[in-house]
Short mmCIF file of all heavy atoms in Angstrom, two decimals:
data_model
loop_
_atom_site.label_atom_id
_atom_site.label_comp_id
_atom_site.label_asym_id
_atom_site.label_seq_id
_atom_site.Cartn_x
_atom_site.Cartn_y
_atom_site.Cartn_z
N ASN A 1 21.41 -24.51 44.59
CA ASN A 1 21.36 -24.83 46.02
C ASN A 1 20.30 -23.93 46.67
O ASN A 1 20.41 -22.71 46.61
CB ASN A 1 22.72 -24.61 46.68
CG ASN A 1 23.78 -25.53 46.14
OD1 ASN A 1 23.53 -26.70 45.93
ND2 ASN A 1 24.97 -25.00 45.90
N ILE A 2 19.29 -24.53 47.26
CA ILE A 2 18.15 -23.78 47.77
C ILE A 2 18.14 -23.80 49.30
O ILE A 2 18.20 -24.88 49.91
CB ILE A 2 16.82 -24.35 47.23
CG1 ILE A 2 16.82 -24.31 45.69
CG2 ILE A 2 15.64 -23.58 47.79
CD1 ILE A 2 15.59 -24.95 45.07
N ASP A 3 18.07 -22.62 49.90
CA ASP A 3 17.92 -22.48 51.35
C ASP A 3 16.53 -21.92 51.63
O ASP A 3 16.16 -20.86 51.10
CB ASP A 3 18.98 -21.54 51.93
CG ASP A 3 20.38 -22.12 51.85
OD1 ASP A 3 20.49 -23.36 51.90
OD2 ASP A 3 21.35 -21.36 51.72
N ILE A 4 15.77 -22.62 52.45
CA ILE A 4 14.40 -22.20 52.78
C ILE A 4 14.41 -21.53 54.15
O ILE A 4 15.01 -22.03 55.10
CB ILE A 4 13.43 -23.40 52.81
CG1 ILE A 4 13.50 -24.19 51.50
CG2 ILE A 4 12.01 -22.93 53.08
CD1 ILE A 4 12.92 -23.50 50.32
N MET A 5 13.72 -20.39 54.26
CA MET A 5 13.61 -19.71 55.55
C MET A 5 12.28 -18.96 55.61
O MET A 5 11.68 -18.64 54.58
CB MET A 5 14.78 -18.73 55.74
CG MET A 5 14.84 -17.60 54.74
SD MET A 5 16.33 -16.60 54.93
CE MET A 5 17.55 -17.70 54.21
N THR A 6 11.87 -18.69 56.86
CA THR A 6 10.64 -17.92 57.06
C THR A 6 10.98 -16.43 56.98
O THR A 6 12.15 -16.03 56.96
CB THR A 6 10.02 -18.23 58.41
OG1 THR A 6 10.93 -17.83 59.46
CG2 THR A 6 9.72 -19.71 58.54
N GLU A 7 9.92 -15.61 56.97
CA GLU A 7 10.12 -14.16 56.94
C GLU A 7 10.90 -13.70 58.17
O GLU A 7 11.78 -12.83 58.08
CB GLU A 7 8.77 -13.45 56.87
CG GLU A 7 8.03 -13.68 55.56
CD GLU A 7 6.66 -13.04 55.56
OE1 GLU A 7 5.75 -13.63 56.17
OE2 GLU A 7 6.50 -11.96 54.94
N GLU A 8 10.57 -14.28 59.32
CA GLU A 8 11.26 -13.91 60.56
C GLU A 8 12.73 -14.29 60.50
O GLU A 8 13.60 -13.50 60.89
CB GLU A 8 10.57 -14.59 61.75
CG GLU A 8 11.17 -14.23 63.10
CD GLU A 8 10.50 -14.93 64.25
OE1 GLU A 8 9.40 -15.50 64.04
OE2 GLU A 8 11.05 -14.92 65.36
N GLN A 9 13.02 -15.50 60.01
CA GLN A 9 14.41 -15.94 59.90
C GLN A 9 15.17 -15.09 58.89
O GLN A 9 16.34 -14.76 59.12
CB GLN A 9 14.45 -17.42 59.46
CG GLN A 9 13.95 -18.39 60.51
CD GLN A 9 13.80 -19.79 59.96
OE1 GLN A 9 13.57 -19.98 58.76
NE2 GLN A 9 13.92 -20.79 60.83
N GLU A 10 14.52 -14.73 57.80
CA GLU A 10 15.16 -13.91 56.79
C GLU A 10 15.47 -12.51 57.32
O GLU A 10 16.56 -11.97 57.09
CB GLU A 10 14.24 -13.80 55.57
CG GLU A 10 14.93 -13.27 54.32
CD GLU A 10 14.59 -11.83 54.02
OE1 GLU A 10 13.66 -11.32 54.66
OE2 GLU A 10 15.25 -11.23 53.16
N ALA A 11 14.52 -11.93 58.08
CA ALA A 11 14.74 -10.61 58.67
C ALA A 11 15.90 -10.65 59.66
O ALA A 11 16.74 -9.74 59.69
CB ALA A 11 13.47 -10.14 59.36
N LYS A 12 15.97 -11.72 60.45
CA LYS A 12 17.06 -11.86 61.43
C LYS A 12 18.40 -12.00 60.73
O LYS A 12 19.40 -11.39 61.13
CB LYS A 12 16.79 -13.07 62.32
CG LYS A 12 17.81 -13.27 63.42
CD LYS A 12 17.48 -14.50 64.27
CE LYS A 12 18.53 -14.70 65.36
NZ LYS A 12 18.23 -15.92 66.18
N LEU A 13 18.42 -12.79 59.64
CA LEU A 13 19.67 -13.00 58.89
C LEU A 13 20.14 -11.70 58.25
O LEU A 13 21.34 -11.36 58.33
CB LEU A 13 19.43 -14.05 57.80
CG LEU A 13 20.62 -14.35 56.86
CD1 LEU A 13 21.78 -14.93 57.65
CD2 LEU A 13 20.20 -15.30 55.74
N ARG A 14 19.21 -10.97 57.64
CA ARG A 14 19.60 -9.70 57.01
C ARG A 14 20.09 -8.71 58.05
O ARG A 14 21.04 -7.94 57.79
CB ARG A 14 18.41 -9.10 56.24
CG ARG A 14 17.85 -9.99 55.14
CD ARG A 14 18.91 -10.43 54.14
NE ARG A 14 18.39 -11.41 53.21
CZ ARG A 14 19.09 -12.35 52.62
NH1 ARG A 14 20.40 -12.44 52.87
NH2 ARG A 14 18.54 -13.20 51.79
N THR A 15 19.47 -8.71 59.23
CA THR A 15 19.90 -7.80 60.29
C THR A 15 21.31 -8.13 60.75
O THR A 15 22.14 -7.24 60.95
CB THR A 15 18.92 -7.88 61.49
OG1 THR A 15 17.61 -7.50 61.05
CG2 THR A 15 19.36 -6.96 62.61
N GLU A 16 21.58 -9.42 60.90
CA GLU A 16 22.93 -9.84 61.32
C GLU A 16 23.97 -9.45 60.27
O GLU A 16 25.06 -8.99 60.61
CB GLU A 16 22.95 -11.35 61.55
CG GLU A 16 22.16 -11.80 62.78
CD GLU A 16 22.12 -13.30 62.92
OE1 GLU A 16 22.58 -14.00 61.98
OE2 GLU A 16 21.62 -13.79 63.94
N GLU A 17 23.63 -9.65 58.98
CA GLU A 17 24.57 -9.28 57.93
C GLU A 17 24.78 -7.76 57.90
O GLU A 17 25.91 -7.29 57.73
CB GLU A 17 24.03 -9.75 56.57
CG GLU A 17 24.03 -11.26 56.39
CD GLU A 17 23.42 -11.67 55.06
OE1 GLU A 17 22.84 -10.78 54.37
OE2 GLU A 17 23.52 -12.86 54.70
N TYR A 18 23.70 -7.02 58.09
CA TYR A 18 23.77 -5.55 58.09
C TYR A 18 24.64 -5.06 59.25
O TYR A 18 25.52 -4.21 59.07
CB TYR A 18 22.36 -4.98 58.19
CG TYR A 18 22.27 -3.49 58.35
CD1 TYR A 18 22.51 -2.64 57.27
CD2 TYR A 18 21.96 -2.92 59.58
CE1 TYR A 18 22.43 -1.26 57.41
CE2 TYR A 18 21.89 -1.54 59.74
CZ TYR A 18 22.12 -0.72 58.65
OH TYR A 18 22.04 0.64 58.79
N ASN A 19 24.44 -5.63 60.42
CA ASN A 19 25.23 -5.23 61.60
C ASN A 19 26.69 -5.61 61.43
O ASN A 19 27.60 -4.86 61.83
CB ASN A 19 24.66 -5.88 62.86
CG ASN A 19 23.30 -5.33 63.24
OD1 ASN A 19 22.95 -4.21 62.85
ND2 ASN A 19 22.52 -6.10 63.99
N SER A 20 26.93 -6.78 60.82
CA SER A 20 28.31 -7.23 60.61
C SER A 20 29.04 -6.29 59.65
O SER A 20 30.20 -5.92 59.89
CB SER A 20 28.30 -8.66 60.06
OG SER A 20 29.60 -9.09 59.73
N ARG A 21 28.38 -5.90 58.55
CA ARG A 21 29.01 -4.99 57.60
C ARG A 21 29.21 -3.61 58.21
O ARG A 21 30.23 -2.95 57.96
CB ARG A 21 28.15 -4.89 56.32
CG ARG A 21 28.11 -6.16 55.51
CD ARG A 21 27.66 -5.89 54.08
NE ARG A 21 26.36 -5.26 54.02
CZ ARG A 21 25.21 -5.90 53.93
NH1 ARG A 21 25.22 -7.23 53.92
NH2 ARG A 21 24.06 -5.25 53.87
N THR A 22 28.25 -3.17 59.00
CA THR A 22 28.38 -1.87 59.67
C THR A 22 29.60 -1.84 60.57
O THR A 22 30.40 -0.89 60.55
CB THR A 22 27.12 -1.57 60.51
OG1 THR A 22 25.98 -1.48 59.63
CG2 THR A 22 27.25 -0.25 61.25
N GLN A 23 29.78 -2.90 61.34
CA GLN A 23 30.93 -2.97 62.25
C GLN A 23 32.24 -3.03 61.47
O GLN A 23 33.25 -2.43 61.85
CB GLN A 23 30.79 -4.19 63.16
CG GLN A 23 31.77 -4.22 64.33
CD GLN A 23 31.59 -3.05 65.27
OE1 GLN A 23 30.48 -2.74 65.70
NE2 GLN A 23 32.69 -2.36 65.59
N LEU A 24 32.22 -3.76 60.34
CA LEU A 24 33.42 -3.85 59.50
C LEU A 24 33.84 -2.48 59.00
O LEU A 24 35.02 -2.11 59.08
CB LEU A 24 33.13 -4.78 58.31
CG LEU A 24 34.18 -4.79 57.17
CD1 LEU A 24 35.50 -5.35 57.68
CD2 LEU A 24 33.67 -5.57 55.96
N PHE A 25 32.89 -1.68 58.49
CA PHE A 25 33.21 -0.36 57.96
C PHE A 25 33.65 0.60 59.08
O PHE A 25 34.55 1.42 58.88
CB PHE A 25 32.02 0.22 57.21
CG PHE A 25 31.66 -0.56 55.95
CD1 PHE A 25 30.34 -0.74 55.56
CD2 PHE A 25 32.66 -1.12 55.16
CE1 PHE A 25 30.03 -1.45 54.42
CE2 PHE A 25 32.35 -1.82 54.02
CZ PHE A 25 31.03 -2.00 53.64
N MET A 26 33.06 0.47 60.26
CA MET A 26 33.46 1.32 61.39
C MET A 26 34.91 1.06 61.77
O MET A 26 35.70 1.99 62.00
CB MET A 26 32.55 1.07 62.59
CG MET A 26 31.12 1.61 62.42
SD MET A 26 30.02 1.13 63.78
CE MET A 26 30.85 1.93 65.17
N ASN A 27 35.29 -0.22 61.81
CA ASN A 27 36.66 -0.57 62.23
C ASN A 27 37.68 -0.28 61.13
O ASN A 27 38.78 0.24 61.41
CB ASN A 27 36.72 -2.06 62.59
CG ASN A 27 35.87 -2.41 63.79
OD1 ASN A 27 35.58 -1.53 64.63
ND2 ASN A 27 35.46 -3.66 63.90
#
């Protein structure tokens, strides 16, 4: 299953995942 994204979209996705995990560990 292939998902195509641009560099900007990939950076935004990784940032959202990073922030989500950060908040999970804080709580």
Side-chain angles (χ1 to χ4, degrees):
N1 296 318
I2 302 175
D3 292 330
I4 306 289
M5 63 186 76
T6 63
E7 293 176 282
E8 182 181 347
Q9 291 171 333
E10 194 256 349
K12 183 180 179 181
L13 177 63
R14 301 305 173 209
T15 300
E16 290 176 353
E17 291 177 350
Y18 174 75
N19 292 337
S20 175
R21 292 199 302 269
T22 297
Q23 192 62 49
L24 169 65
F25 294 143
M26 289 174 62
N27 295 336

